[in-house]
């Protein structure tokens, strides 16, 4: 009888019936994604794949540098999210990053207390227990009231800023970029004296993802401000892939929307793409030391899929060096 | 005789036309002459303010949410607020805020940027922002937790009247809804607010 139930459930999943897709969408889910979801249904968290034993660190770990991790579109509560979180914890023990920025879609689906537990508190428990702080931005799948959730450190605001040493972070709400928020962004950027200005929000201004693509109206609204006030780096999610773009108007853009969700083979490389990864989940480590920003993007299996160093742009003549 | 009648008719018509051209603009409640659109927006803002007053009354009896709440506190607060507001507004109906005059003005305001050179960018943004399909919003209905919020293009937001922080303009299909974000409640809705999609090539 139990075997019959298992076979029945397997058929439903492989047919696409249990695989969560975006509401209102008719997304075609590849067969390997369905198999993965099926396996996750029967795999208790304790049996999740252990992190890679030999970590390949690409960051210099200079003293007094600012170190953080980046995740986007993470809040599925599924096994791959947990595996990414385990990989993050393995690296934290070496890198000692003290905070994580979240690029939105932090809690998919329902937002009951058990959703917060399953899609955030449990996967990242080792990080939370170690005192790592998470700074969230809101995605289109997030309840705006997440701004009040204590572990997201948003201070009750949908958009906010914070500073770590000489690095200023601006977490924006790209789902609702109204004139009030734009005025706030402009004032904050204008008044900031930080050496590095980093903006992060959910919807990408540039993207080679096939599913969504860039938000052109948002781009034409924000880019002039970013250029005028010397933003150095922009992180976004929404597109369930990883992409590093060539600098656009002297600003570096990253898309990372696959820390929980994934759209297999969804990148359509173009001239603006510098690096991309669309076959597994990942997260990013960043270290900023003086005029250098070192980055390393790591898959849930421990593979380094991209790494390099960005030189802080002198806004008169931006220079960038990368190494892979 | 006929020529005389025609001449009189022409003079009357011309006079009538001149009267309309030189008619003084309508006046606001404080007696200042303004254009009709301004009065319509004033009426819209007044109706929105009335909602916010009611909302504040309902909110007053609830423990204020803190910036460091637990997920259970958040859920409880949102459910309680939504319940109190919808009970108080049980008679609310579509058009209470989007009156016919307000609706006509909003459709005009929304159509303008679509017709400009910026229209293609707005359409692209709407397409790329996970358009909400298959949802029929209703007054006092809570926006479903499992349905993503489509982002509202910044250009549209810059052209529409400013709202208090408690309420947002959101898009569902071609409808524009007024959403109480903390309560997750649909306050009013405007059907066919967005221009129909352009036919593909």
């Amino acid at each position: 009888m139990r075997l019959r139930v298992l076979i029945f459930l397997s058929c439903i999943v492989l047919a696409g019936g249990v695989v969560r897709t975006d509401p209102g969408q008719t997304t075609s889910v590849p067969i390997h994604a369905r198999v993965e979801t099926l396996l996750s249904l029967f795999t208790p968290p304790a049996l999740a794949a252990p992190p890679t034993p030999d970590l390949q660190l690409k960051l210099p770990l200079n003293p007094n540098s600012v170190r953080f991790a980046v995740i986007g579109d993470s809040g599925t509560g599924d096994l791959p999210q947990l595996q990414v979180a385990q990989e993050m914890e393995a690296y934290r023990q070496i890198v000692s990053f003290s905070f994580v920025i979240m690029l939105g879609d932090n809690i998919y689906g329902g937002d009951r207390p058990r959703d917060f537990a399953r899609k955030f508190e449990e996967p990242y428990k080792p990080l939370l227990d170690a005192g790592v702080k998470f700074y969230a931005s809101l995605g289109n799948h997030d309840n705006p009231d997440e701004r009040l959730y204590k572990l997201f450190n948003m201070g009750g605001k949908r958009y906010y800023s914070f500073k770590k040493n000489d690095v200023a972070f601006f977490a924006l709400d790209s789902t609702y970029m109204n004139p009030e928020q734009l005025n706030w962004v402009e004032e904050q950027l204008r008044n900031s004296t930080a050496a590095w200005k980093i903006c992060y929000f959910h919807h990408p201004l540039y993207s080679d993802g096939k599913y969504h693509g860039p938000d052109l109206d948002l781009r034409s609204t924000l880019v002039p401000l970013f250029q005028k006030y010397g933003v150095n780096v922009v992180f976004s999610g929404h597109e369930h892939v990883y992409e590093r773009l060539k600098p656009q108007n002297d600003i570096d853009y990253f898309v990372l929307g696959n820390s929980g969700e994934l759209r297999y083979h969804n990148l359509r490389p173009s001239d603006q793409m510098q690096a991309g990864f669309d076959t597994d989940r990942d997260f990013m480590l960043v270290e900023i030391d003086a005029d250098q920003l070192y980055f390393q993007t790591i898959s849930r299996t421990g593979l380094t899929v991209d790494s390099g160093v960005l030189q802080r742009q002198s806004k008169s003549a931006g220079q960038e060096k990368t190494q892979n | 005789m006929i020529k005389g009648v025609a001449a009189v008719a022409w003079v009357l018509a011309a006079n009538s036309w001149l009267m309309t051209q030189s008619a003084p603009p309508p006046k606001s409640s404080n007696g200042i002459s303004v254009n009709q659109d301004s009065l319509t927006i004033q009426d819209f803002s007044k109706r929105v303010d009335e909602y916010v007053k009611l909302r504040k009354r309902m909110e007053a009896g609830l423990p204020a949410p803190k910036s460091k709440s637990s997920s259970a506190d958040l859920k409880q607060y949102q459910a309680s607020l939504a319940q109190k507001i919808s009970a108080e507004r049980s008679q609310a109906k579509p058009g209470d805020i989007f009156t016919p005059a307000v609706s006509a003005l909003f459709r005009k305001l929304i159509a303008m940027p679509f017709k400009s050179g910026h229209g293609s960018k707005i359409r692209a943004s709407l397409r790329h922002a996970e358009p909400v399909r298959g949802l029929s919003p209703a007054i006092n209905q809570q926006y479903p937790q499992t349905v993503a919020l489509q982002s509202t293009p910044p250009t549209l937001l810059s052209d529409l009247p400013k709202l208090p922080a408690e309420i947002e303009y959101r898009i569902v299909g071609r409808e524009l809804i007024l959403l109480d974000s903390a309560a997750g409640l649909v306050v009013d809705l405007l059907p066919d607010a967005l221009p129909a999609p352009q036919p593909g090539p």
Side-chain angles (χ1 to χ4, degrees), chain A residues 61-113:
Chain A
L61 304 188
N62 292 331
N64 302 319
S65 59
V66 174
R67 300 171 200 170
F68 61 97
V70 185
I71 56 174
D73 300 69
S74 52
T76 62
D78 294 337
L79 180 62
Q81 179 194 5
L82 179 66
Q83 291 170 327
V84 169
Q86 288 176 328
E87 201 68 28
M88 290 170 73
E89 168 58 12
Y91 272 90
R92 186 201 61 79
Q93 291 177 16
I94 299 171
V95 175
S96 298
F97 59 82
S98 59
F99 64 101
V100 178
I101 61 171
M102 303 176 78
L103 308 178
D105 286 359
N106 315 307
I107 305 288
Y108 281 99
D111 56 0
R112 297 155 298 183

Side-chain angles (χ1 to χ4, degrees), chain A residues 117-150:
Chain A
R118 193 169 69 85
K119 299 167 187 176
F120 178 72
E121 292 160 13
E122 289 166 8
Y124 304 113
K125 187 174 188 306
L127 296 170
L128 292 165
D129 288 347
V132 172
K133 290 182 95 175
F134 287 73
Y135 294 95
S137 59
L138 295 173
N140 55 314
H141 285 272
D142 291 313
N143 183 331
D145 274 359
E146 285 176 21
R147 72 190 192 282
L148 297 161
Y149 176 54
K150 61 185 171 188

Side-chain angles (χ1 to χ4, degrees), chain A residues 22-25 109-113 116 121 140-150 153 155-156 158 174-180 203 211-218 220-221 238 263, chain B residues 65-72 74-75 77-78 118 120-122 124-125 128-131 133 145-158 162-163 167-170 181-183:
Chain A
D22 295 314
Q25 308 287 344
D111 56 0
R112 297 155 298 183
F116 280 83
E121 292 160 13
N140 55 314
H141 285 272
D142 291 313
N143 183 331
D145 274 359
E146 285 176 21
R147 72 190 192 282
L148 297 161
Y149 176 54
K150 61 185 171 188
N153 293 294
R158 299 173 63 143
S174 60
T175 76
Y176 201 72
M177 191 59 66
N178 60 357
E180 292 75 31
H203 296 84
Y211 193 75
H212 292 304
D215 191 322
L216 300 181
D217 195 36
L218 193 65
S220 61
T221 305
H238 196 47
R263 285 204 179 87
Chain B
K66 300 168 190 163
S67 63
K68 291 188 179 294
S69 300
S70 69
S71 55
L74 290 178
K75 193 70 196 158
Y77 173 75
Q78 187 171 50
H118 205 68
S120 59
K121 289 181 182 173
I122 300 172
S125 284
H128 296 168
E130 293 194 35
R133 298 189 184 103
Q145 294 166 8
T146 50
V147 177
L149 279 171
Q150 180 169 3
S151 49
T152 315
T155 303
L156 288 190
L157 290 173
S158 68
K162 186 180 172 182
L163 288 174
I167 306 177
E168 299 172 350
Y169 295 113
R170 289 289 179 179
S181 58

Side-chain angles (χ1 to χ4, degrees), chain A residues 5-20 29-42:
Chain A
V5 171
L6 282 175
I7 292 170
F8 176 69
L9 282 172
S10 304
C11 290
I12 291 175
V13 172
L14 290 172
V18 170
V19 176
R20 179 179 43 70
V29 181
I31 190 74
H32 49 286
R34 294 181 191 175
V35 170
E36 184 181 66
T37 304
L38 176 63
L39 289 173
S40 75
L41 287 175
F42 302 114

Side-chain angles (χ1 to χ4, degrees), chain B residues 84-186:
Chain B
K84 287 185 79 173
I85 294 173
S86 52
E88 188 71 12
R89 295 186 80 229
S90 58
Q91 303 300 313
K93 58 188 184 306
D96 281 352
I97 295 176
F98 285 124
T99 64
V102 170
S103 300
L105 177 60
F106 266 64
R107 290 192 183 101
K108 189 171 78 174
L109 291 173
I110 291 170
M112 278 194 298
F114 277 90
K115 291 175 185 165
S116 71
H118 205 68
S120 59
K121 289 181 182 173
I122 300 172
R123 286 185 191 280
S125 284
L126 288 168
R127 275 199 310 275
H128 296 168
E130 293 194 35
V132 178
R133 298 189 184 103
L135 178 68
S136 302
I139 309 292
N140 282 339
Q141 179 193 61
Q142 271 203 294
Y143 194 92
Q145 294 166 8
T146 50
V147 177
L149 279 171
Q150 180 169 3
S151 49
T152 315
T155 303
L156 288 190
L157 290 173
S158 68
D159 288 349
L160 295 177
K162 186 180 172 182
L163 288 174
E166 293 86 352
I167 306 177
E168 299 172 350
Y169 295 113
R170 289 289 179 179
I171 291 167
V172 176
R174 287 180 56 211
E175 283 184 271
L176 183 75
I177 63 172
L178 287 179
L179 186 71
D180 183 321
S181 58
L185 273 185
V186 177

